[in-house]
Structures are given as C-alpha cells and as structure tokens.
Amino acid sequence: MLAAYAVRVEQSRGRRYPEPPHAYRDDFQRDRDRVVHSRSFRRLENKTQVFTRRYSDHFRNRLTHTIEVSQIARTIGAALGLNTHLVECLALVHDIGHPPFGHAGEKALDAAMRRHGEFFDHNLHALRIVDWFEQRYADFPGLNLTFEVREGIIKHSRDYSQEQFPQLAEYLLDLRPPLEAQLIDLADEIAYSTADLDDGCEAGLLDYDGIRRGLPIFERFYHEVVERRPQVSPKLQFNEALRKLIDYFVSDIIPSTRSNVEASGVKSLEEVRAQPRRLVGFSAEAERNRRATKEFLYANLYFSPVLEPEKESAERVIAELFDHWMERPNTLPRSYQEKAKREPLARVVCDYIAGMTDNFITGQHRRVMGKERKVTTAG
Ligand code: MG
C-alpha cells in the first residue's frame, strides 16, 4: 500500500542502459541486490565506523552500522507508506563511498586532495563506485542502477548546488529528493548516535552514570527501566534504555513527518520534489534531544584523547601513501596506471585509497614504507 507521495517503481526514470524486466523482482529490489552483491559492499566489513577492531569484535563496523540503518529506515519507510525496496537499497548503499579509518581517513584523504586543488566527498565517490568501479556485468560499466537510487546516493544527506557541481545536473539539484531518500540521513543518525553510546561504554570511554547525567532523554528512559526492573543488571538496564531511545526517535519521525506532509498539502512525488524544504523530520522536542545526543557524543567521545593516537596514525598512513603514489605512479596497479592516462593522477590515487579496507591499507603502508626505508638506508 504505497502512499500517494511515494516513489513508484513503474514510474522510475530508469537505468542508463535499459534492461529487460526480471520475472520476480522489480527494479528497486534488483538495485538493492546489486548493492549487496558488490565488492564495495563487502569491504564495509573491514572499514572503521568509530572504533577499530583493536578494541573488540563487538563494535560496529561500517557493514553492521549499514544493516542497522537499513532496519531503522525500513520501519520508518513502511509506516509512512513509502517504497521500502527503494528505502532499503538507499540505506544499504549509503556508506559505500567511505574511505578506510572512519572520519579520520576521510579528513586525511580530503586534505591530501586539497593540496592538489581537488577534494574528496564520500557521496560523489559512492556515485563513481556504482557508476564505474564495480565491474560485474558484461553489458555496461558499474551496477547500472536506476535514476532514483543514484539520485538518493547524491542527495540523501545534503544539497549540492548546480553552479558548484555542474556534472550532477541530471540529479535535479534544485528539487528536493523523494521522502525515501530524505529519511536515510535521519535513520543514519539515529543508528550511529545510539550505537556510539553503546560502543563508547563497551570501550570504557563512556559510562552509564555519565550518560545519565549528561543526557536527560537517556536518563528518562533509564529511570523508567530501573523503576520497572530494579533487580536486573546495570548492563541490561542500559540496553533497555538504549532500545527505548532508538524507539523514541523512530516513533517520533513517523507522526511528525506525516503532519509535515499534511501541512504542506503534498499529494504526489512531484509535489514532494517541489517543496522548499525537506519534509522528513523530528518534532521540535525530539529535534532538541537529537541535537543534545550528538553534542554529548562530540563532547565526550569523538574527541577523546584515547582515540587520538589511532586517528593520527590513520592520517599519517593515508598522507604517506598518497604522496608515495603521487611521486611514483608507475608503482600503482596496472589498471590505475591506465586510468591515470585519462584522469588527473591525484583523483586516481584518491580512488585507489578510498576503496581500501583498513586491513588492506595497513598492509600496503607497511610494504611501501618498508621499501622506502630500505632505499633511504642504501642511498
Ligand atoms: Mg552512515
């Protein structure tokens, strides 16, 4: 039962290379399956979200984070009568453009590119992956995804201006994305902020009392749990409170988006697109709590001195490898040397590094720096 303002697969603007329909799956289901079967999707397993595996195997990585986003996004999408196949596909693909080493890696890669007058943006990189880098099909490059999925990759988390990004003109930059794409950014934030509270405690960088003191909305749920189940372990009380926090955010988006839709009078996808602003959102109260949760994590976790050495090493590994391949392009893999004949070398090196997992880049760094040291010593 799709709402009037949902994306209808039969009205999709289609694929770059037309393909015959499939007997059992519609185009958005197929796109979701193409993402799941892609190499860059599998690599998410070995990309840091916030904590590296050095701490524990229980921490989220980008793959498990992605699955959590997909769960949350599907719940919201289904309750709003949206196209859940498209929602699921957009959730599963939303982090595919992330480089190794989490935010530190992204920052370092962007900094390296800026030294060459370029920049790195994970949404644009995700689009390059699905359009070009994935090689699975004989008839076309990339995954040949439908327009709505490619548009969602670009527009789910921010707006790009036509003047600054003329190459993205086909994605209707002056229009809002469908609600299926709009909800991904909020589902992402619900997933990572609640997960980071959990992993932060597991890592010993946060503690239950600190969260209760610093985050009133969490304390509200924790208090409820303690009242109801005073005899269970603090860990279970914490888990229950966290579960309530996720449910609070998710359960808020649904009615508040519905009332935004009603207030706007929107009755079709075209009208969603023509709105001056996005319609998916929290109520004023939940929005305050969303911001408070984020601020708590910034103040108490993301800049923790304990995480500093790992961040510094991530930045050093990326910066050194970037410079290494800029100075010695003939040591890049053959396919990247070929690409460098058609594209700026900095972009090619950036693409190579961005695709790497934490494991692979660490191995490359050890190998390359070992060789460099040998040469220096010999010289
Ligand atoms: Mg994410």
Side-chain angles (χ1 to χ4, degrees), residues 49 62 65-66 69 94-95 98 156 188-189 192:
Q49 179 69 15
R62 281 219 185 265
H65 158 72
T66 292
V69 174
H94 90 280
D95 265 356
H98 275 278
H156 73 272
D188 185 25
E189 189 169 335
Y192 74 68

Side-chain angles (χ1 to χ4, degrees), residues 102-118:
H103 186 67
E106 185 167 12
K107 209 174 106 197
L109 199 51
D110 184 56
M113 284 297 273
R114 284 180 194 274
R115 290 197 285 277
H116 297 274
E118 305 245 9

Side-chain angles (χ1 to χ4, degrees), residues 123 153 252 286 292:
N123 291 336
I153 288 174
D252 184 89

Side-chain angles (χ1 to χ4, degrees), residues 40 43-53 61-63 95-110 120 122 125 129 310-319 321-322 325 336 349-365:
S40 13
R43 287 180 187 165
L44 294 173
E45 189 195 2
N46 199 250
K47 292 198 180 200
T48 293
Q49 179 69 15
V50 174
F51 298 100
T52 60
R53 284 269 167 82
N61 55 52
R62 281 219 185 265
L63 180 63
D95 265 356
I96 221 166
H98 275 278
F101 299 143
H103 186 67
E106 185 167 12
K107 209 174 106 197
L109 199 51
D110 184 56
F120 176 78
H122 65 90
H125 187 70
I129 290 175
E310 223 158 44
K311 281 190 204 164
E312 277 164 22
S313 124
E315 284 170 19
R316 191 168 45 81
V317 164
I318 287 189
L321 279 177
F322 196 97
W325 282 309
Y336 286 88
V349 171
C350 177
D351 286 343
Y352 184 40
I353 291 177
M356 292 180 185
T357 60
D358 292 13
N359 260 348
F360 186 76
I361 196 169
T362 305
Q364 288 292 305
H365 186 254

Side-chain angles (χ1 to χ4, degrees), residues 28 31 37 56 72 108 121 144 175 186 222 242 269 318:
F28 295 149
D31 281 3
H37 286 268
S56 149
I72 290 170
D121 175 290
N144 195 29
L175 298 179
L186 300 186
Y222 199 92
L242 201 60
L269 175 58
I318 287 189

